[in-house]
Amino acid sequence: MAIADHLEELKKTAKQMVVPGKGILAADESSGTIEKKFAKIGVASTEDNRRSYRGLFFTTPGFEEFISGVILFDETLRQSAADGRTFVSILQGVGVLPGIKVDQGTKEMDGSPNEKVTKGLEGLPERLKEYVELGAKFAKWRAVITIGDVLPTDANIRQNAKDLAAYAALCQEAGLVPIVEPEVLMDGGHGIEACADASERTLRAVFEELKKAGVAPEGMILKTNMVIPGKESGTKAAPETIAELTTTLFERVLPDELPGQAFLSGGQSEVEATENLNAMNKKGQFPWKLSFSYGRALQDSALKTWGGKPENIPAAQKAFYHRAKMNSLATLGKYTSEIEKA
Ligand code: 5MM
């Protein structure tokens, strides 16, 4: 079907994903990533352990007050909890939208081996059709941009932008809201200016290609990085600086029709990710909502608290509920360090 045939539903879903006070839980770690996360806490990545871990988030009492949608991995979209209910029905039961990661990871770019492009366009229309039948309302595709001495190259930015646009058009044709995720990585010793520059080049190319592909901006969500110094730069920027550089860049590049931008956390600590989002929303209203779609910054405390032990699930859920609530406040610019500690 044509994008126009789905537009009203896409707009409604996209608005719901970034409604003030709510954001998205990214729980779509691929098999390799979840294995690494579990290895850090000494837990084997078996199907049962993944079921227990994902299930603890989806059955946290009251989390739906702060979370509008969850991005799932293929296995989780098809999986059931120990009591036999599918995870999709559990989420639907509390009004949380199920979403699906549809990229298939990254590979080296031909001609620029230190840069990555994302796999997964082949056979995508057929997969999207099945995901819609399984109950998905939105999808996600992540492209990574690397900062280095001569990186990112224009060729890498352009290829990733074209692939994101092709994915987004296919999603809208299938009736799924695309989360378009260009992530400029925090890895490296670069300063905040290099991040600002790479982010602006990337977002400009992404919105040019989305337009060329006929993607309706009002029926999609952007998920990009904050403008922040590299992890190995030895510097930290104040939340107000990050907020200023990020929002002024967005004002230059993002179309007003875009319903929202839901940040990735990218390796920031849980509290940093909340403080930085809060600083942006404290600046006032923008044409688009500024929300969160965090993986690590919503899960880290819960993961450590759980430690693979069923008896720790209630405490892990408490940790997740707290993080979700803090980020909910940050979408409203109402987060404070006092509330964090209370
Ligand atoms: C949850 O992790 C997602 C899947 O990553 P892999 O394909 O590497 O397994 C990832 O795309 C995530 O949604 C984003 O990176 C945001 O997560 P963070 O932890 O940066 O908030």
Side-chain angles (χ1 to χ4, degrees):
M1 276 216 274
I3 292 173
D5 299 324
H6 294 289
L7 198 54
E8 284 316 305
E9 198 197 335
L10 293 170
K11 278 160 73 174
K12 194 172 145 227
T13 305
K15 255 193 183 167
Q16 196 181 334
M17 289 163 72
V18 291
V19 72
K22 292 193 187 186
I24 296 161
L25 167 66
D28 58 316
E29 296 85 357
S30 54
S31 311
T33 306
I34 197 79
E35 193 173 344
K36 278 186 217 144
K37 276 177 99 153
F38 280 9
K40 280 190 193 150
I41 54 158
V43 171
S45 182
T46 61
E47 195 194 335
D48 267 350
N49 284 340
R50 292 193 295 272
R51 180 197 322 283
S52 305
Y53 180 62
R54 260 69 183 252
L56 86 79
F57 291 97
F58 311 156
T59 59
T60 293
F63 85 106
E64 67 276 10
E65 296 166 62
F66 315 121
I67 300 291
S68 57
V70 180
I71 316 173
L72 304 167
F73 188 56
D74 183 274
E75 175 188 70
T76 325
L77 187 76
R78 301 170 193 276
Q79 211 170 23
S80 297
D83 64 9
R85 290 178 301 157
T86 64
F87 282 141
V88 167
S89 67
I90 291 175
L91 294 173
Q92 287 167 338
V94 291
V96 172
L97 300 167
I100 178 73
K101 167 197 183 71
V102 302
D103 68 70
Q104 297 180 320
T106 57
K107 62 173 185 182
E108 278 177 14
M109 183 177 170
D110 285 344
S112 186
N114 293 324
E115 294 187 294
K116 304 265 189 255
V117 290
T118 303
K119 300 177 285 184
L121 282 175
E122 210 186 309
L124 186 56
E126 293 73 30
R127 289 196 289 129
L128 295 180
K129 194 166 170 273
E130 192 195 1
Y131 288 143
V132 170
E133 285 161 9
L134 288 167
K137 292 288 175 201
F138 65 92
K140 188 197 91 173
W141 175 288
R142 174 170 172 255
V144 297
I145 304 291
T146 308
I147 297 182
D149 284 346
V150 291
L151 305 183
T153 61
D154 287 339
N156 181 257
I157 289 176
R158 189 55 59 180
Q159 187 61 52
N160 277 309
K162 279 184 191 294
D163 292 347
L164 279 164
Y167 139 82
L170 290 172
C171 283
Q172 291 192 336
E173 283 161 17
L176 288 167
V177 170
I179 294 186
V180 172
E181 182 180 3
E183 173 175 6
V184 175
L185 295 174
M186 263 176 88
D187 303 340
H190 55 270
I192 197 164
E193 302 77 16
C195 178
D197 179 62
S199 301
E200 179 147 2
R201 287 167 61 202
T202 300
L203 290 178
R204 283 195 186 283
V206 166
F207 281 100
E208 276 167 26
E209 294 299 334
L210 286 167
K211 199 168 181 183
K212 277 192 216 159
V215 174
E218 61 271 42
M220 62 165 273
I221 297 293
L222 179 68
K223 170 169 175 168
T224 197
N225 53 283
M226 298 180 187
V227 175
I228 210 157
K231 252 189 269 175
E232 290 88 45
S233 66
T235 58
K236 286 260 180 212
E240 293 69 29
T241 308
I242 292 168
E244 178 66 16
L245 290 175
T246 306
T247 56
T248 50
L249 159 58
F250 287 174
E251 282 171 328
R252 289 196 294 277
V253 182
L254 270 43
D256 286 358
E257 298 79 20
L258 182 73
Q261 142 63 21
F263 287 101
L264 55 93
S265 56
Q268 300 176 58
S269 73
E270 289 177 328
V271 170
E272 278 169 353
T274 308
E275 284 173 344
N276 293 335
L277 176 61
N278 188 60
M280 299 198 212
N281 282 310
K282 262 175 84 173
K283 283 169 62 76
Q285 296 285 317
F286 299 98
W288 5 264
K289 301 284 178 264
L290 292 179
S291 182
F292 58 92
S293 173
Y294 295 155
R296 286 163 284 182
L298 274 172
Q299 294 185 39
D300 280 358
S301 291
L303 174 70
K304 280 189 208 119
T305 308
W306 173 62
K309 299 196 175 82
E311 63 271 25
N312 293 340
I313 287 177
Q317 290 183 324
K318 216 175 147 195
F320 168 53
Y321 182 90
H322 176 72
R323 249 350 321 126
K325 186 176 178 179
M326 296 303 101
N327 286 305
S328 162
L329 289 168
T331 67
L332 306 169
K334 290 186 174 163
Y335 167 82
T336 62
S337 54
E338 289 73 34
I339 302 177
E340 177 69 57
K341 288 177 209 134

